[in-house]
Structure formats: structure tokens, C-alpha cells
């Protein structure tokens, strides 16, 4: 149980470091916030799924890795569609290509 808690804390902390430092570096280099969000932040937020997939493959549990990937994609898709639907009903535009600056 202690290993689980320590591993989870290390995973969350590592993802936080990647996102914060990557975003700060990109901002210093003049990279637009949209590019930061689509690349560096997505890497940090996908780290837990990657860790579960790697661990599942090591444990010879391929179905867990497939289920994790499929479940994550379905939840992300439905969550984003739901948030966009909710924001457009209130009059706010939902467009990731042309965000309100």
C-alpha cells in the first residue's frame, strides 16, 4: 500500500513538473499558449495513462492496457463535447482553433 501511495505521488509530482517547467520554458522561448497547451501540457496530463499502460504490459495484462486507452479516450471525448455543449448554451463560443484572445 505504501508503494502505491508513493508511486502515485511521484507520478503526480512528475507530471506537475513536466507541465510547469515545460510551459515556462516555452513561454520564455515565445511559443504561443495554444501550442503549449496542445503539446507540453498534454504530455503531462497523459503521463498517468502511459504509466498504467506500461505497468499493465509488464504484468502481461494487455486487456487492462487496451481498456485504459479506450476508456480514457471515450471519457476525454465525452467530457470535451459536454463542456463545449454546455458553454455554447450559455452563449460562450467553443472553438479551440480560434480562441477568444
Amino acid at each position: 500500500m505504501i508503494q502505491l501511495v508513493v508511486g502515485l505521488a511521484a507520478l503526480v509530482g512528475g507530471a506537475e513538473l513536466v507541465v510547469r517547467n515545460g510551459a515556462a520554458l516555452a513561454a520564455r522561448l515565445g511559443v504561443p499558449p495554444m501550442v503549449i497547451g496542445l503539446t507540453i501540457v498534454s504530455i503531462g496530463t497523459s503521463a498517468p495513462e502511459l504509466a498504467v499502460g506500461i505497468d499493465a504490459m509488464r504484468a502481461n495484462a494487455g486487456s487492462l492496457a487496451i481498456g485504459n486507452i479506450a476508456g480514457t479516450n471515450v471519457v476525454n471525448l465525452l467530457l470535451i463535447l459536454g463542456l463545449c455543449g454546455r458553454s455554447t448554451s450559455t452563449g460562450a463560443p467553443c472553438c479551440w482553433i480560434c480562441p477568444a484572445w
Side-chain angles (χ1 to χ4, degrees):
M1 184 66 171
I2 293 174
Q3 289 177 337
L4 177 67
V5 172
V6 170
L8 182 61
L11 186 63
V12 170
E16 184 71 24
L17 285 174
V18 166
V19 170
R20 285 186 188 268
N21 292 327
L25 176 65
R28 274 188 242 137
L29 295 175
V31 177
M34 179 64 81
V35 174
I36 295 170
L38 292 174
T39 56
I40 295 171
V41 174
S42 66
I43 292 168
T45 57
S46 297
E49 286 87 8
L50 179 62
V52 168
I54 290 171
D55 193 42
M57 295 309 288
R58 281 185 178 167
N60 215 10
S63 60
L64 177 63
I66 299 294
N68 183 42
I69 293 168
T72 299
N73 287 325
V74 167
V75 167
N76 286 342
L77 179 67
L78 294 178
L79 182 65
I80 296 303
L81 286 176
L83 289 174
C84 285
R86 179 70 179 134
S87 69
T88 56
S89 67
T90 60
C94 183
C95 180
W96 64 273
I97 296 174
C98 52
W101 302 103

